[in-house]
Amino acid sequence: MSRFATLALAALIMPLLAFAQSATMYKAPWCGCCLGHADYLRDQGYEVEIIEQDGEALAALKTEHAIPQEQRGCHTLVIDGYVIEGHVPVEAIEALLVKRPDITGISLPGMPMGSPGMSGEKAGSFKVEVIGAPGKIFMEV
């Protein structure tokens, strides 16, 4: 890709990313790792509104968004019409917002150690899945 084409593409994409940098996080009041993920997103330039819900309301939200049980995480983000479930790295979120596929959203199942907001060491790439298609990889980070 030529330098001009790259700059032109960046000029088109950057306003989209700036527009989409507002996130709503739904979480249980007792969950601390969710706050870690919110802080990580804020460090990446996102404005994060946190809405605390009891377990029943949070489960209902996940059901409303058709998130299968095996893809559910401790918190649910809604960003620009997409659902992001769990401790998804910002690279995958931004790829979702740029590509704009016809999907509900993405999930990083299992709360893996070393993922954004989780303690521990990262032990390999994170397999970010398409919500509603367990095992279908959207992106590896």
PDB file of all heavy atoms in Angstrom, residues 111-115 118-126:
ATOM      1  N   MET A 111     -11.703 -15.857  31.347  1.00  0.00           N
ATOM      2  CA  MET A 111     -10.918 -14.924  32.162  1.00  0.00           C
ATOM      3  C   MET A 111      -9.454 -15.348  32.272  1.00  0.00           C
ATOM      4  O   MET A 111      -8.931 -15.572  33.357  1.00  0.00           O
ATOM      5  CB  MET A 111     -11.556 -14.777  33.545  1.00  0.00           C
ATOM      6  CG  MET A 111     -12.960 -14.213  33.497  1.00  0.00           C
ATOM      7  SD  MET A 111     -13.843 -14.247  35.073  1.00  0.00           S
ATOM      8  CE  MET A 111     -12.789 -13.272  36.100  1.00  0.00           C
ATOM      9  N   PRO A 112      -8.747 -15.467  31.149  1.00  0.00           N
ATOM     10  CA  PRO A 112      -7.370 -15.980  31.193  1.00  0.00           C
ATOM     11  C   PRO A 112      -6.412 -15.059  31.950  1.00  0.00           C
ATOM     12  O   PRO A 112      -6.523 -13.834  31.882  1.00  0.00           O
ATOM     13  CB  PRO A 112      -6.973 -16.080  29.718  1.00  0.00           C
ATOM     14  CG  PRO A 112      -7.923 -15.222  28.979  1.00  0.00           C
ATOM     15  CD  PRO A 112      -9.177 -15.140  29.791  1.00  0.00           C
ATOM     16  N   MET A 113      -5.487 -15.684  32.657  1.00  0.00           N
ATOM     17  CA  MET A 113      -4.477 -14.943  33.398  1.00  0.00           C
ATOM     18  C   MET A 113      -3.664 -14.086  32.432  1.00  0.00           C
ATOM     19  O   MET A 113      -3.378 -14.493  31.317  1.00  0.00           O
ATOM     20  CB  MET A 113      -3.549 -15.911  34.139  1.00  0.00           C
ATOM     21  CG  MET A 113      -4.263 -16.796  35.149  1.00  0.00           C
ATOM     22  SD  MET A 113      -5.161 -15.873  36.392  1.00  0.00           S
ATOM     23  CE  MET A 113      -3.826 -15.305  37.407  1.00  0.00           C
ATOM     24  N   GLY A 114      -3.323 -12.888  32.873  1.00  0.00           N
ATOM     25  CA  GLY A 114      -2.527 -11.985  32.063  1.00  0.00           C
ATOM     26  C   GLY A 114      -3.320 -11.189  31.042  1.00  0.00           C
ATOM     27  O   GLY A 114      -2.761 -10.345  30.355  1.00  0.00           O
ATOM     28  N   SER A 115      -4.619 -11.455  30.936  1.00  0.00           N
ATOM     29  CA  SER A 115      -5.444 -10.641  30.030  1.00  0.00           C
ATOM     30  C   SER A 115      -5.681  -9.290  30.700  1.00  0.00           C
ATOM     31  O   SER A 115      -5.511  -9.146  31.915  1.00  0.00           O
ATOM     32  CB  SER A 115      -6.757 -11.351  29.698  1.00  0.00           C
ATOM     33  OG  SER A 115      -7.513 -11.607  30.859  1.00  0.00           O
ATOM     34  N   MET A 118      -6.665  -8.726  34.415  1.00  0.00           N
ATOM     35  CA  MET A 118      -6.435  -9.948  35.198  1.00  0.00           C
ATOM     36  C   MET A 118      -4.971 -10.010  35.611  1.00  0.00           C
ATOM     37  O   MET A 118      -4.087  -9.605  34.861  1.00  0.00           O
ATOM     38  CB  MET A 118      -6.772 -11.196  34.375  1.00  0.00           C
ATOM     39  CG  MET A 118      -8.248 -11.363  34.073  1.00  0.00           C
ATOM     40  SD  MET A 118      -9.248 -11.698  35.531  1.00  0.00           S
ATOM     41  CE  MET A 118      -8.637 -13.313  35.995  1.00  0.00           C
ATOM     42  N   SER A 119      -4.729 -10.553  36.782  1.00  0.00           N
ATOM     43  CA  SER A 119      -3.352 -10.697  37.240  1.00  0.00           C
ATOM     44  C   SER A 119      -2.710 -11.915  36.568  1.00  0.00           C
ATOM     45  O   SER A 119      -3.371 -12.655  35.846  1.00  0.00           O
ATOM     46  CB  SER A 119      -3.334 -10.866  38.764  1.00  0.00           C
ATOM     47  OG  SER A 119      -4.029 -12.053  39.118  1.00  0.00           O
ATOM     48  N   GLY A 120      -1.442 -12.093  36.816  1.00  0.00           N
ATOM     49  CA  GLY A 120      -0.730 -13.259  36.307  1.00  0.00           C
ATOM     50  C   GLY A 120      -0.025 -12.999  34.996  1.00  0.00           C
ATOM     51  O   GLY A 120      -0.097 -11.915  34.423  1.00  0.00           O
ATOM     52  N   GLU A 121       0.650 -14.035  34.534  1.00  0.00           N
ATOM     53  CA  GLU A 121       1.426 -13.961  33.300  1.00  0.00           C
ATOM     54  C   GLU A 121       0.603 -14.467  32.127  1.00  0.00           C
ATOM     55  O   GLU A 121      -0.113 -15.468  32.246  1.00  0.00           O
ATOM     56  CB  GLU A 121       2.682 -14.831  33.425  1.00  0.00           C
ATOM     57  CG  GLU A 121       3.674 -14.347  34.461  1.00  0.00           C
ATOM     58  CD  GLU A 121       4.394 -13.086  34.045  1.00  0.00           C
ATOM     59  OE1 GLU A 121       4.732 -12.963  32.850  1.00  0.00           O
ATOM     60  OE2 GLU A 121       4.613 -12.227  34.918  1.00  0.00           O
ATOM     61  N   LYS A 122       0.748 -13.812  31.004  1.00  0.00           N
ATOM     62  CA  LYS A 122       0.116 -14.259  29.767  1.00  0.00           C
ATOM     63  C   LYS A 122       0.850 -15.521  29.307  1.00  0.00           C
ATOM     64  O   LYS A 122       2.067 -15.530  29.206  1.00  0.00           O
ATOM     65  CB  LYS A 122       0.204 -13.158  28.712  1.00  0.00           C
ATOM     66  CG  LYS A 122      -0.473 -13.501  27.413  1.00  0.00           C
ATOM     67  CD  LYS A 122      -0.393 -12.340  26.431  1.00  0.00           C
ATOM     68  CE  LYS A 122      -1.040 -12.713  25.114  1.00  0.00           C
ATOM     69  NZ  LYS A 122      -0.922 -11.654  24.116  1.00  0.00           N
ATOM     70  N   ALA A 123       0.099 -16.581  29.033  1.00  0.00           N
ATOM     71  CA  ALA A 123       0.701 -17.871  28.678  1.00  0.00           C
ATOM     72  C   ALA A 123       0.369 -18.261  27.248  1.00  0.00           C
ATOM     73  O   ALA A 123      -0.038 -19.378  26.982  1.00  0.00           O
ATOM     74  CB  ALA A 123       0.223 -18.949  29.650  1.00  0.00           C
ATOM     75  N   GLY A 124       0.518 -17.342  26.323  1.00  0.00           N
ATOM     76  CA  GLY A 124       0.198 -17.617  24.927  1.00  0.00           C
ATOM     77  C   GLY A 124      -0.785 -16.591  24.408  1.00  0.00           C
ATOM     78  O   GLY A 124      -1.198 -15.679  25.126  1.00  0.00           O
ATOM     79  N   SER A 125      -1.157 -16.746  23.146  1.00  0.00           N
ATOM     80  CA  SER A 125      -2.069 -15.770  22.558  1.00  0.00           C
ATOM     81  C   SER A 125      -3.485 -15.970  23.091  1.00  0.00           C
ATOM     82  O   SER A 125      -3.875 -17.065  23.471  1.00  0.00           O
ATOM     83  CB  SER A 125      -2.060 -15.875  21.029  1.00  0.00           C
ATOM     84  OG  SER A 125      -2.527 -17.131  20.610  1.00  0.00           O
ATOM     85  N   PHE A 126      -4.225 -14.870  23.118  1.00  0.00           N
ATOM     86  CA  PHE A 126      -5.620 -14.913  23.525  1.00  0.00           C
ATOM     87  C   PHE A 126      -6.466 -15.154  22.279  1.00  0.00           C
ATOM     88  O   PHE A 126      -6.322 -14.446  21.287  1.00  0.00           O
ATOM     89  CB  PHE A 126      -6.045 -13.609  24.200  1.00  0.00           C
ATOM     90  CG  PHE A 126      -5.278 -13.293  25.450  1.00  0.00           C
ATOM     91  CD1 PHE A 126      -4.669 -12.062  25.612  1.00  0.00           C
ATOM     92  CD2 PHE A 126      -5.183 -14.222  26.474  1.00  0.00           C
ATOM     93  CE1 PHE A 126      -3.972 -11.760  26.763  1.00  0.00           C
ATOM     94  CE2 PHE A 126      -4.479 -13.932  27.636  1.00  0.00           C
ATOM     95  CZ  PHE A 126      -3.870 -12.699  27.779  1.00  0.00           C
TER      96      PHE A 126
END
